[in-house]
């Protein structure tokens, strides 16, 4: 863009790490709005989520990847390819780890992937509120012996602790560049994608351990009606009939609660009143069927 001010910095930053270390929480805090769903279950994020942070001096485009793990099905294979391909596409990598978790095979697996890239890597130690300050030094030393990190930044993404310092460090490592997105744009995903993710988040939260990550959400219809209310029709996809019963709940109670909670987030996102209608459909073993993966938005050829 020709009107980019002199000295303006910009770049693409990937957020990687094991499942459930707080990558989406970090992204949402930085952007200031929920665009990546959060859950205490692993493998919540399935697609690359681009979040855009813009200030007067810089623009940082964040890519939140699926947690790096050893895949167990075709969906897992897809998620791993997304995560690993991202490392080659960015200017900087944020490797997020959890302060309270001991270094183990999962971290070793990721470190080996990072050794294969020449992209600078920041070690972001998240959830520092869960450990004593004196314990941080030992954690930092453990990781420093494994890889030559460009920076090490301890944070609490949930509380926002040390996030401004992290952003300063990120911008400091970026080169001068253009403003890729308008100042008021926070993601490059279409609204339908974010709406589907917000619904899926509520299913995960409310069903807890009863429904594993065999849930997808498809937006069938999304249109503004004459009364200015937005009508959204969506289908929740599960793999087994028993899961359908759980998602619907007794006399439809669970599905109503999913809709009620999702509607609040969707209205905040769209800035409009929403009429949300939900259905539940069984699609057996969809995570292992490429045709269904494509139908539900997991398009491998895009990566």
């Amino acid at each position: 863009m020709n009107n980019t001010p002199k000295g303006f910095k910009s770049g693409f930053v990937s957020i990687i790490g094991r499942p459930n270390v707080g990558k989406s929480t970090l992204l949402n805090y930085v952007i200031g709005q929920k665009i990546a769903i959060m859950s205490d279950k692993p493998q919540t994020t399935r697609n690359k989520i681009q979040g855009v942070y813009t200030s007067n001096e810089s623009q940082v485009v964040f890519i939140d990847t699926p947690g790096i793990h050893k895949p167990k099905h075709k969906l897992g294979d897809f998620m791993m390819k997304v995560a690993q391909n991202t490392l080659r596409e960015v200017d900087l990598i944020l490797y997020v780890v959890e302060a309270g978790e001991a270094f183990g095979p999962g971290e070793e697996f990721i470190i080996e992937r990072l050794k294969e890239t020449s992209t600078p890597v920041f070690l972001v130690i998240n959830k520092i509120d869960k450990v004593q300050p004196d314990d941080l030094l030992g954690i930092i030393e453990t990781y420093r012996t494994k890889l030559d990190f460009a920076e090490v930044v301890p944070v609490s993404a949930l509380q926002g602790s040390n996030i401004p310092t992290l952003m300063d460090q990120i911008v400091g490592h970026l080169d001068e560049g253009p403003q890729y997105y308008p100042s008021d744009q926070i993601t490059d995903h279409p609204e339908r994608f974010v709406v589907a993710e917000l619904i899926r988040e509520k299913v995960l939260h409310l069903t807890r351990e009863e429904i594993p990550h065999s849930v997808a959400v498809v937006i069938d219809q999304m249109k503004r009606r004459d009364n200015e209310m937005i009508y959204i029709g969506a289908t929740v996809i599960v793999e087994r009939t028993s899961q359908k019963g759980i998602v619907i709940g007794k006399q439809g109670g669970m599905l109503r609660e999913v809709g009620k909670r999702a509607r609040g987030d969707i209205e905040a996102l769209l800035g409009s009143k929403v009429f949300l209608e939900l259905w539940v459909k069984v699609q057996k073993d969809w995570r292992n069927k490429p045709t269904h993966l494509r139908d539900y938005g997991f398009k491998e050829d895009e990566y």
Side-chain angles (χ1 to χ4, degrees):
M1 298 175 70
N2 295 329
N3 59 351
T4 303
K6 186 174 175 59
F8 192 85
K9 289 189 164 191
S10 64
F12 292 80
V13 177
S14 176
I15 307 175
I16 73 162
R18 291 183 67 196
N20 204 28
V21 294
K23 301 184 298 296
S24 294
T25 308
L26 175 62
L27 177 62
N28 289 336
Y29 188 91
V30 169
I31 303 304
Q33 187 170 333
K34 181 182 287 188
I35 58 170
I37 74 170
M38 295 182 291
S39 168
D40 56 4
K41 297 179 180 181
Q43 298 179 34
T44 305
T45 302
R46 290 177 179 164
N47 287 274
K48 293 188 293 188
I49 310 277
Q50 288 201 320
V52 185
Y53 167 89
T54 307
S55 69
N56 292 331
E57 297 81 30
S58 64
Q59 184 170 82
V60 184
V61 183
F62 288 96
I63 301 173
D64 178 26
T65 63
I68 294 180
H69 62 288
K70 292 187 177 178
K72 297 178 182 177
H73 39 62
K74 287 189 183 297
L75 175 59
D77 289 335
F78 168 85
M79 291 161 66
M80 274 300 297
K81 286 177 183 175
V82 170
Q84 292 182 351
N85 287 346
T86 302
L87 302 184
R88 298 193 289 269
E89 302 170 353
V90 296
D91 303 297
L92 182 66
I93 298 168
L94 303 186
Y95 172 31
V96 182
V97 302
E98 184 174 339
E101 291 291 318
F103 188 94
E107 286 76 24
E108 198 70 64
F109 182 77
I110 295 174
I111 293 284
E112 291 306 309
R113 304 286 85 74
L114 292 174
K115 286 178 180 177
E116 297 169 3
T117 178
S118 58
T119 307
V121 181
F122 280 16
L123 176 66
V124 180
I125 304 174
N126 191 25
K127 306 185 185 182
I128 56 173
D129 48 299
K130 291 190 173 184
V131 298
Q132 295 297 321
D134 292 346
D135 296 334
L136 265 179
L137 289 176
I139 296 168
I140 292 170
E141 281 307 307
T142 297
Y143 279 93
R144 278 205 181 277
T145 63
K146 305 292 183 179
L147 193 72
D148 184 19
F149 294 101
E151 299 286 351
V152 178
V153 188
V155 303
S156 171
L158 192 62
Q159 299 178 350
S161 302
N162 223 26
I163 300 296
T165 299
L166 174 62
M167 289 306 302
D168 287 344
Q169 299 273 27
I170 290 170
V171 173
H173 269 72
L174 297 180
D175 295 327
E176 287 190 25
Q179 183 174 320
Y180 295 100
Y181 296 96
S183 300
D184 59 352
Q185 185 170 341
I186 62 164
T187 183
D188 74 339
H189 273 301
E191 288 175 339
R192 280 175 174 248
F193 174 87
V194 183
V195 168
E197 287 290 271
L198 292 174
I199 296 169
R200 190 165 68 92
E201 176 188 52
K202 301 305 178 285
V203 175
L204 294 178
H205 279 182
L206 288 166
T207 57
R208 307 301 300 171
E209 298 306 316
E210 297 172 285
I211 299 290
H213 284 257
S214 53
V215 176
V217 175
V218 177
I219 304 300
D220 304 305
Q221 197 175 123
M222 188 167 164
K223 63 182 180 181
R224 189 175 292 277
R225 290 181 165 170
D226 293 339
N227 60 2
E228 292 303 300
M229 179 177 282
I230 296 174
Y231 170 81
I232 299 172
T235 302
V236 179
I237 311 292
V238 294
E239 287 187 321
R240 296 194 297 274
T241 304
S242 60
Q243 294 170 345
K244 179 177 180 179
I246 292 169
V247 173
I248 293 174
K250 189 175 181 181
Q251 297 181 325
M254 178 66 79
L255 195 60
R256 277 197 302 275
E257 187 63 22
V258 168
K260 177 184 172 184
R261 296 192 187 189
R263 189 171 61 248
D265 277 354
I266 295 168
E267 288 180 343
L269 174 76
L270 302 179
S272 177
K273 286 291 184 183
V274 167
F275 182 87
L276 178 61
E277 197 165 11
L278 298 176
W279 295 270
V280 184
K281 177 181 175 183
V282 178
Q283 196 66 261
K284 294 187 185 302
D285 201 29
W286 69 265
R287 287 181 295 174
N288 276 314
K289 296 177 180 175
T291 52
H292 292 326
L293 288 173
R294 285 193 294 272
D295 288 345
Y296 304 152
F298 307 107
K299 298 174 181 168
E300 194 166 339
D301 58 346
E302 290 182 356
Y303 300 95

